[in-house]
Amino acid sequence: KAGVTQTPRYLIKTRGQQVTLSCSPISGHRSVSWYQQTPGQGLQFLFEYFSETQRNKGNFPGRFSGRQFSNSRSEMNVSTLELGDSALYLCASSFAGGMYNEQFFGPGTRLTVL
Amino acid sequence: GIQVEQSPPDLILQEGANSTLRCNFSDSVNNLQWFHQNPWGQLINLFYIPSGTKQNGRLSATTVATERYSLLYISSSQTTDSGVYFCAVQKLVFGQGTRLTINP
């Protein structure tokens, strides 16, 4: 069974631009969560989608948004990019949206904002 | 919210040594996972262990939920074990990680 895939793997943008990242979960998984990893803040939860609905949201500004499609693929969008948005963005999928399901991570998208 | 603390922050060992990594959490949990982050950034699942003990080859983990801690044991370390080990609970809240360096 194929793992979680993320595209693109690397991205360079300039301040003020917007960016869209994509995540395809493991086949049969219906929950997709997004995380941001920076050297200063570590790994932080952004949001979770289940059955095309956002179920949980972390403490990030409204510039960070996402959506999930009927095939469970998810996209994350960051508008009006800031230098501090430079990070590794990780996507994880799990079989169901409950609190207790094991999550599996993709390889990440490394975003650099200049 | 729930807090997760990992210790030690850094650990340097010689190949063949054993190590114990600790994860403390501030509230009861129903989900706890251990990950190894490889040099390219991918998080590799090691254990899904909200309670009890599990073993996988040279690695084993124990979670004592009533005392709010989990331990990851690595025996006979190899250089490929180097990297950052994360503990995460609930949805997921991550600790700051333990950076393990195994020297040949």
Side-chain angles (χ1 to χ4, degrees), chain A residues 71-93:
Chain A
N71 62 358
S72 294
R73 189 177 71 86
S74 176
E75 288 182 348
M76 190 190 94
N77 184 273
V78 188
S79 63
T80 318
L81 284 166
E82 301 177 358
L83 295 179
D85 297 333
S86 294
L88 179 66
Y89 290 89
L90 292 162
C91 160
S93 76

Side-chain angles (χ1 to χ4, degrees), chain B residues 55-60 73-78 80-81:
Chain B
Q55 180 157 4
N56 184 5
R58 296 181 296 103
L59 275 62
S60 64
Y73 304 96
I74 305 174
S75 64
S76 304
S77 299
Q78 302 175 358
T80 52
D81 294 331

Side-chain angles (χ1 to χ4, degrees), chain B residues 8-83:
Chain B
D10 292 280
L11 188 57
I12 301 174
L13 298 171
Q14 290 298 119
E15 202 168 22
N18 301 328
S19 57
T20 301
L21 283 59
R22 188 177 179 99
C23 171
N24 292 332
F25 39 94
S26 61
D27 204 347
S28 59
V29 300
N30 306 96
N31 179 25
L32 190 145
Q33 292 186 241
W34 282 98
F35 299 93
H36 177 209
Q37 189 166 40
N38 67 22
W40 299 272
Q42 178 144 20
L43 288 169
I44 308 299
N45 288 44
L46 297 177
F47 293 101
Y48 172 70
I49 186 166
S51 64
T53 298
K54 291 186 177 180
Q55 180 157 4
N56 184 5
R58 296 181 296 103
L59 275 62
S60 64
T62 295
T63 297
V64 184
T66 53
E67 297 187 21
R68 301 180 184 172
Y69 73 88
S70 183
L71 301 174
L72 177 68
Y73 304 96
I74 305 174
S75 64
S76 304
S77 299
Q78 302 175 358
T79 55
T80 52
D81 294 331
S82 295

Side-chain angles (χ1 to χ4, degrees), chain A residues 35 37 43 45 48 88 97-100 102-107, chain B residues 30-31 33 35 37 40-43 45 48 86 90-92 94:
Chain A
Y35 297 82
Q37 185 177 25
L43 277 151
F45 170 74
E48 180 212 2
L88 179 66
M99 190 75 78
Y100 317 130
E102 185 174 10
Q103 296 196 23
F104 297 86
F105 283 80
Chain B
N30 306 96
N31 179 25
Q33 292 186 241
F35 299 93
Q37 189 166 40
W40 299 272
Q42 178 144 20
L43 288 169
N45 288 44
Y48 172 70
F86 288 101
Q90 302 302 76
K91 204 49 183 179
L92 294 162
F94 283 82

